[in-house]
Amino acid sequence: MRVVIFDVDGTLVDSQDDICAAMGAAFGSIGRVAPPRAEICAIVGLSLPEAMRVLAPELEAHHVALVEGYKASYMALRAEKGTAESSPLYEGALAALDRLRAEDETLLAVATGKSRRGLDKLLEGHGLQGYFMSEQVADHHPSKPHPAMLEAVLQETGLRKDQAVMVGDTRFDMEMARAAGIATIGVSWGYHAAESLKADRLIEHFDALHGAVNDLLGEPV
């Protein structure tokens, strides 16, 4: 048995535009200008409270308002545009998930900085309910790169560290996996520079995912 654990934003779906727009609205709600897009993309993967601490340490008194403003704006954008446009799946993502899911020996899981509500809406919008045996969200764990999410995946699946691999696009994903003692696959299409990931394997398209998983965990028998 093996488990392939996925990050969401920047790995499975491209939500960059809505993340930046929602961040702009959140800062605007307190009369401030949001940081540049590059700085916003650099914090994708962190839980929202931690993201605000990194983006605006000088605005500590407004962090709760920024978090709530972001959530409200992001939900409004998703409702207005629909999930397929708001957070489209990357090319090849669904086919890669289906291929892995079809293997009796392979389980799928999620470890994301999204909230439970946010992940539920995303999975519903893309018809992915039931794909993931374990779904770990920011509501119940410390922010990445703390390894708690991955430890929970192992506990829920009953698998060992050497039977798991983390797939992500940010250094927070890779650092979380290393802290948990789990192998890493970095994707080049996400929000952090590929060279910053220092992953065990780096892939440039979802077509390469299955082979990378087999290389790191062995082929299912």
Side-chain angles (χ1 to χ4, degrees):
M1 295 296 296
R2 60 189 190 173
V3 59
V4 184
I5 309 162
F6 291 90
D7 169 58
V8 176
D9 294 304
T11 300
L12 290 175
V13 301
D14 186 4
S15 47
Q16 180 179 160
D17 287 345
D18 278 8
I19 288 172
C20 292
M23 199 65 76
F27 276 82
S29 71
I30 63 166
R32 302 298 181 104
V33 176
R37 176 179 285 257
E39 292 184 23
I40 295 173
C41 289
I43 56 82
V44 173
L46 297 176
S47 65
L48 279 174
E50 180 62 20
M52 297 309 178
R53 283 192 286 270
V54 173
L55 282 176
E58 75 283 4
L59 298 177
E60 183 176 0
H62 298 283
H63 284 173
V64 172
L66 286 169
V67 168
E68 294 306 314
Y70 176 93
K71 288 180 179 179
S73 178
Y74 195 90
M75 288 174 58
L77 287 167
R78 183 175 57 211
E80 175 187 347
K81 299 163 64 176
T83 301
E85 181 180 346
S86 178
S87 298
L89 287 164
Y90 283 106
E91 181 182 357
L94 183 58
L97 291 174
D98 284 339
R99 182 177 183 182
L100 290 167
R101 187 182 180 220
E103 298 172 349
D104 292 338
E105 304 87 351
T106 304
L107 305 176
L108 303 182
V110 160
T112 177
K114 283 185 174 297
S115 66
R116 178 75 263 174
R117 179 173 59 177
L119 180 61
D120 286 346
K121 288 291 186 181
L122 182 83
L123 296 181
E124 178 184 353
H126 285 297
L128 295 175
Q129 304 100 315
Y131 267 63
F132 303 101
M133 180 177 180
S134 180
E135 298 171 356
Q136 305 303 321
V137 295
D139 305 49
H140 308 133
H141 299 287
S143 177
K144 298 176 184 180
H146 193 284
M149 289 189 192
L150 300 187
E151 292 167 349
V153 170
L154 295 179
Q155 183 176 13
E156 288 187 3
T157 59
L159 297 181
R160 304 183 308 271
K161 297 176 182 180
D162 63 341
Q163 294 173 293
V165 63
M166 177 72 204
V167 184
D169 71 301
T170 73
R171 62 182 179 84
F172 308 126
D173 298 319
M174 303 297 104
E175 290 169 4
M176 175 177 65
R178 285 191 284 269
I182 288 175
T184 56
I185 297 174
V187 304
S188 65
W189 55 81
Y191 302 154
H192 286 191
E195 60 269 19
S196 73
L197 302 183
K198 298 179 174 60
D200 295 316
R201 296 290 187 279
L202 182 67
I203 62 173
E204 297 185 354
H205 193 277
F206 267 113
D207 288 348
L209 177 61
H210 194 264
V213 172
N214 287 345
D215 284 348
L216 291 169
L217 300 184
E219 296 188 26
V221 293

